[in-house]
Amino acid sequence: MAISDTYLLTLSCRNRPGIVARVATHLFMHDANIQDAQQFDDEETGRFFMRVRFGLLSDAASLDDLRESFAEVATTFGMDWTIRSRRDKQRVVIMVSRFDHCLTDILYRWRMGELDMDIVGIIANYPRETYAAHEFGDIPFDYLPITKDTKPEQEAAVWRVVQERKADLVILARYMQILSDDLATKLADRCINIHHSFLPGFKGAKPYHQAFERGVKLIGATAHYVTSDLDEGPIIEQDVERISHVDTPDDLVRKGRDIERRVLSRAIAWHLDGRVLRNGTKTVVFRD
């Protein structure tokens, strides 16, 4: 049984009997072999979510034909859905400010093949020499400084870069600027931010110092989709680390950087692999 490529079907719709049977039957009738299937019925919202990884058994089978035929199934159940080849890498733009630890981690994981994507641009509000220790290679770098007065023009330039590079995903790798409602809306469900707190938590300047002053015993980080509500977007991943009275603010900052890196990388990897489905103000994450 030869399979030359693998594909992903993701869908969500109002829950009703027969969805799984109809999907499986349709794939079988079109020479598809299901390799992995995950599903979730949200009893609170009445929504159904599904992720299917499959291969096509016949060289004559066409993904375009499968998409066209599956549209009828999707219409019947009122599905929001996508089918794509896992070979099709998503095009990614990374936005960063002065703190570069998340950028460093993303670039390393990308070069090691852990994050299967095409980085089509890095946007920073600090000049290129700020990142002198990094080798960006052929990745385009755009220095777009921002002030309170120039924010509309800067964000217009950001949007042009996203459009011209045909970016599928924007990553805020500790980009320390609040996106306007307009830009956040344009990037809905395709912009991931890493927040330096286990939300909800300490907001504003020096969050780790605030945590230190309150004598917290856990610190954490949260990766979420960006929305117009500051730090209130659907959460993708979170993690924490226990601390004690012997930890200084510098210790908290150091440990916090490690948490931020791993939380953001997991959120990116899951998004790229079609494992994150939007569920209103929440997400469904089909982990391995």
Side-chain angles (χ1 to χ4, degrees):
M1 187 168 57
I3 297 176
S4 59
D5 197 359
T6 57
Y7 304 88
L8 288 178
L9 163 64
T10 58
L11 63 90
S12 65
C13 60
R14 182 177 61 83
N15 190 34
R16 54 188 275 198
I19 300 173
V20 175
R22 185 69 180 275
V23 169
T25 300
H26 189 87
L27 291 175
F28 171 75
M29 295 298 295
H30 288 78
D31 290 330
N33 178 57
I34 294 177
Q35 301 165 331
D36 180 71
Q38 295 171 285
Q39 64 194 61
F40 173 66
D41 173 15
D42 188 343
E43 295 182 359
E44 180 182 356
T45 64
R47 298 286 292 176
F48 177 83
F49 303 84
M50 191 172 189
R51 176 185 183 272
V52 183
R53 187 180 79 243
F54 64 93
L56 297 177
L57 299 175
S58 170
D59 291 337
S62 164
L63 183 60
D64 289 337
D65 290 342
L66 181 59
R67 282 197 184 106
E68 184 177 349
S69 62
F70 191 81
E72 181 180 347
V73 177
T75 299
T76 299
F77 289 94
M79 295 176 177
D80 296 321
W81 63 284
T82 61
I83 298 180
R84 66 175 178 85
S85 169
R86 296 183 83 193
R87 287 184 178 177
D88 296 337
K89 296 183 180 182
Q90 294 194 45
R91 298 169 63 84
V92 174
V93 165
I94 303 171
M95 298 182 68
V96 64
S97 292
R98 181 167 57 88
F99 300 112
D100 63 353
H101 54 283
C102 287
L103 173 64
T104 302
D105 187 69
I106 291 170
L107 292 175
Y108 173 79
R109 294 178 189 271
W110 168 65
R111 291 189 171 109
M112 293 296 292
E114 293 182 22
L115 295 176
D116 193 19
M117 59 189 182
D118 288 332
I119 302 178
V120 296
I122 295 172
I123 297 174
N125 59 325
Y126 281 76
R128 177 65 181 83
E129 52 266 27
T130 306
Y131 317 97
H134 294 280
E135 175 53 56
F136 292 152
D138 296 331
I139 302 174
F141 180 90
D142 291 275
Y143 168 43
L144 299 178
I146 184 172
T147 67
K148 182 178 179 180
D149 294 333
T150 64
K151 181 168 183 158
E153 292 78 12
Q154 193 262 9
E155 287 200 340
V158 169
W159 181 239
R160 282 195 298 272
V161 170
V162 171
Q163 288 183 299
E164 290 171 359
R165 310 273 168 80
K166 299 179 180 179
D168 302 299
L169 176 67
V170 174
I171 300 169
L172 305 186
R174 289 305 303 269
Y175 179 69
M176 304 304 290
Q177 296 291 326
I178 299 172
L179 301 189
S180 68
D181 290 354
D182 179 62
L183 185 56
T185 299
K186 290 176 179 176
L187 295 175
D189 296 332
R190 57 186 184 120
C191 182
I192 296 177
N193 183 41
I194 183 66
H195 191 277
H196 46 231
S197 180
F198 187 75
L199 293 176
F202 302 104
K203 298 183 179 180
K206 296 186 175 181
Y208 293 115
H209 291 73
Q210 294 182 54
F212 175 76
E213 292 296 331
R214 294 287 298 275
V216 301
K217 298 299 182 278
L218 288 172
I219 59 172
T222 300
H224 64 92
Y225 287 121
V226 172
T227 65
S228 57
D229 294 324
L230 178 63
D231 298 327
E232 299 294 335
I235 292 171
I236 304 170
E237 173 63 339
Q238 295 179 292
D239 204 352
V240 295
E241 184 167 332
R242 184 163 293 280
I243 60 172
S244 75
H245 59 278
V246 303
D247 288 304
T248 67
D250 286 342
D251 291 330
L252 269 60
V253 170
R254 173 178 53 80
K255 293 181 179 182
R257 286 196 298 259
D258 288 339
I259 306 171
E260 291 165 14
R261 284 191 286 251
R262 63 180 185 253
V263 168
L264 181 58
S265 67
R266 288 199 293 259
I268 296 168
W270 293 339
H271 176 95
L272 294 173
D273 202 26
R275 296 183 177 276
V276 187
L277 280 68
R278 178 78 177 263
N279 184 17
T281 58
K282 302 181 292 185
T283 63
V284 172
V285 181
F286 291 122
R287 301 178 61 168
D288 291 328

